[in-house]
Structures are given as C-alpha cells and as structure tokens.
Amino acid sequence: YKSVLESFIHSGVENNARVNIHWVATEEIKNDSDAEKAFSRMDGILLLPGFGSRGSEGKIISCKYARENNVPFLGICLGLQCAVIEFARNVCGLDGANSTEFNKKTPYPVIDLMESQKAIKIKGGTMRLGAYDCTIKAGTKTYSAYRSKKISERHRHRYEVNNRYKNRLEKAGMVISGVNDSLGVVETIEISDHPWFVAGQFHPELKSRVNKAHPLFREFIKASKKYSKKRS
C-alpha cells in the first residue's frame, strides 16, 4: 500500500492539507456499532484493494457506514466490489448478495469471476493486468474529477461487477459512471445523492505523481476536507 500512502501525500499537497492516516482492521468490524466506533471521528474512508474473504463482511459494513452517514468514500478495486455488494443487499433488497470470491453459493452473485478468467486453471500472472480504456459518463462526480470522457487506468483483478445486475443497481440509485466499452466491464460507480461516494475497479494510486495528484485522490481529499470543516 506504499503507492496509496504516497497518493495521499500528493493529494494533500494539492488541497493544502495534511492527511492523517488511521488504519482499520476490518476483521474487527462485525456490526454497525463497530463501524461507528471505528469511523465516527474520521473525515473520509478509503477501502483498499485486496484478495480473498478475510475481513470481507467488515469491509461491506464499512461501505454501509460511509453511504448512510455521508462520509466521503473512495473504493479501489475490491473496494468497489464491496460497495456494490453492500448496495445490492441494503438498497436493492438482494439479501445474501455477495461476490463468488467470498461465497460461491450466494443467491445473488453481483460480483463474479470475469468471463475471460473462467477457463483459467493455473492462475499465475493471468489476471486482468495493465492499462485499459474507460468511457466516463458526463455529469458525474467521476467526470468532474477527470474532466474527460476518455481515460486509461491500470488494473489487477479477476472479479468484476456482474452485468446481470447492472439495471437493478441503477434503478435503485447507483450510478455506473464509467465502463470499458470493448469488454462491457463496469469501471467506476458512484452514488448521486451522496456528497462523494466513488469507487473504481482499477488502481488510481499507480498513476498519482508528486507534481500531479491522481484526480480521484485529489477530489476524495477535497471532499474529506470539506466534511471535516462541516463537522468542526
């Protein structure tokens, strides 16, 4: 997570803010009360990338806390997937919704293995890796951050948003703000009636630089700074 920490430095400079990091072990978040204790004094929540089911329910509960309490939120890769799972469960009413990475028998696999990954038996370096294009929807927070309809970001994942549930998510209020047109893969999501709740399937931290913070980190810190002032 070194590149994430560096991205916070870059985005802090651009926002004239010192970013203080508080690490939270999501295995310890079992319910809403735990989330309240962990995040009640935080000005923003970033859900990191990762693999496997360890702490997954705590991650999902953390997304719920950010969404319901209007806390600025940025999800990276697995962070997007957990945000989608939480929204599917608690807004769309899909009880038991999950990722097949966490629960292969979930009744609502809103996150599933990419089609291109299903035939792979020996994994090795076979994930969706490298830079891929993304088309951003105008009028979204993501578009306001990038100021561009066409972007390219770096990826490292096997699972994605299951397109079978896209319409249901959108009808309930989730905005699919970015897609890869050639693959039909959801790249970014956000919640329109939230001050700043944005997540990407890619890794924005890999493109942040000392002289140019990544747009999503920059806007996340800007929203967190505004939220901090509102709370004080």
Side-chain angles (χ1 to χ4, degrees):
Y1 301 130
K2 175 68 172 174
S3 53
V4 172
L5 297 177
E6 292 293 322
S7 298
F8 276 134
I9 295 172
H10 307 159
S11 52
V13 169
E14 290 200 17
N15 282 286
N16 193 29
R18 182 186 296 274
V19 181
N20 296 313
I21 309 297
H22 299 267
W23 295 93
V24 175
T26 54
E27 300 99 312
E28 298 174 4
I29 297 179
K30 308 293 186 184
N31 50 48
D32 292 346
S33 178
D34 291 339
E36 173 70 24
K37 291 175 184 176
F39 300 121
S40 62
R41 298 178 64 186
M42 301 300 138
D43 299 319
I45 297 172
L46 181 139
L47 192 49
L48 290 159
F51 296 95
S53 61
R54 184 168 65 96
S56 61
E57 287 301 315
K59 292 175 178 132
I60 293 164
I61 294 169
S62 300
C63 294
K64 180 173 183 277
Y65 182 88
R67 180 180 60 80
E68 292 185 339
N69 291 279
N70 288 326
V71 180
F73 175 89
L74 176 60
I76 298 176
C77 197
L78 183 66
L80 174 143
Q81 296 171 11
C82 289
V84 169
I85 294 167
E86 187 281 318
F87 192 89
R89 288 181 185 179
N90 299 308
V91 181
C92 298
L94 301 178
D95 189 39
N98 216 326
S99 167
T100 53
E101 181 180 14
F102 306 153
N103 178 8
K104 293 187 184 302
K105 296 182 179 180
T106 172
Y108 303 108
V110 293
I111 304 295
D112 199 6
L113 193 65
M114 300 181 71
E115 285 297 325
S116 61
Q117 297 287 317
K118 289 183 178 179
I120 295 172
K121 302 301 181 185
I122 301 174
K123 294 183 177 179
T126 57
M127 291 183 289
R128 185 190 184 207
L129 295 167
Y132 287 83
D133 293 335
C134 173
T135 301
I136 302 295
K137 184 183 294 185
T140 61
K141 293 179 177 67
T142 308
Y143 179 83
S144 296
Y146 281 99
R147 303 178 189 127
S148 176
K149 286 187 178 181
K150 297 290 184 179
I151 65 168
S152 177
E153 293 284 1
R154 291 166 62 182
H155 295 70
R156 189 172 185 267
H157 65 105
R158 297 184 192 280
Y159 291 81
E160 65 176 343
V161 176
N162 188 337
N163 285 337
R164 286 167 48 201
Y165 294 93
K166 273 178 64 177
N167 288 340
R168 202 146 178 186
L169 292 166
E170 290 181 301
K171 284 181 180 178
M174 176 169 281
V175 177
I176 308 297
S177 54
V179 296
N180 178 283
D181 294 322
S182 61
L183 297 175
V185 176
V186 173
E187 296 281 16
T188 62
I189 62 97
E190 58 187 67
I191 297 175
S192 57
D193 61 354
H194 190 286
W196 214 87
F197 190 107
V198 176
Q201 184 57 70
F202 45 78
H203 289 257
E205 72 276 15
L206 299 179
K207 293 183 70 174
S208 190
R209 298 292 181 266
V210 173
N211 60 344
K212 188 174 178 59
H214 190 281
L216 295 185
F217 273 90
R218 182 193 68 229
E219 295 305 306
F220 171 58
I221 295 303
K222 180 187 290 185
S224 297
K225 185 177 177 181
K226 184 176 180 180
Y227 180 77
S228 179
K229 287 182 178 179
K230 183 179 178 181
R231 291 172 66 236
S232 60

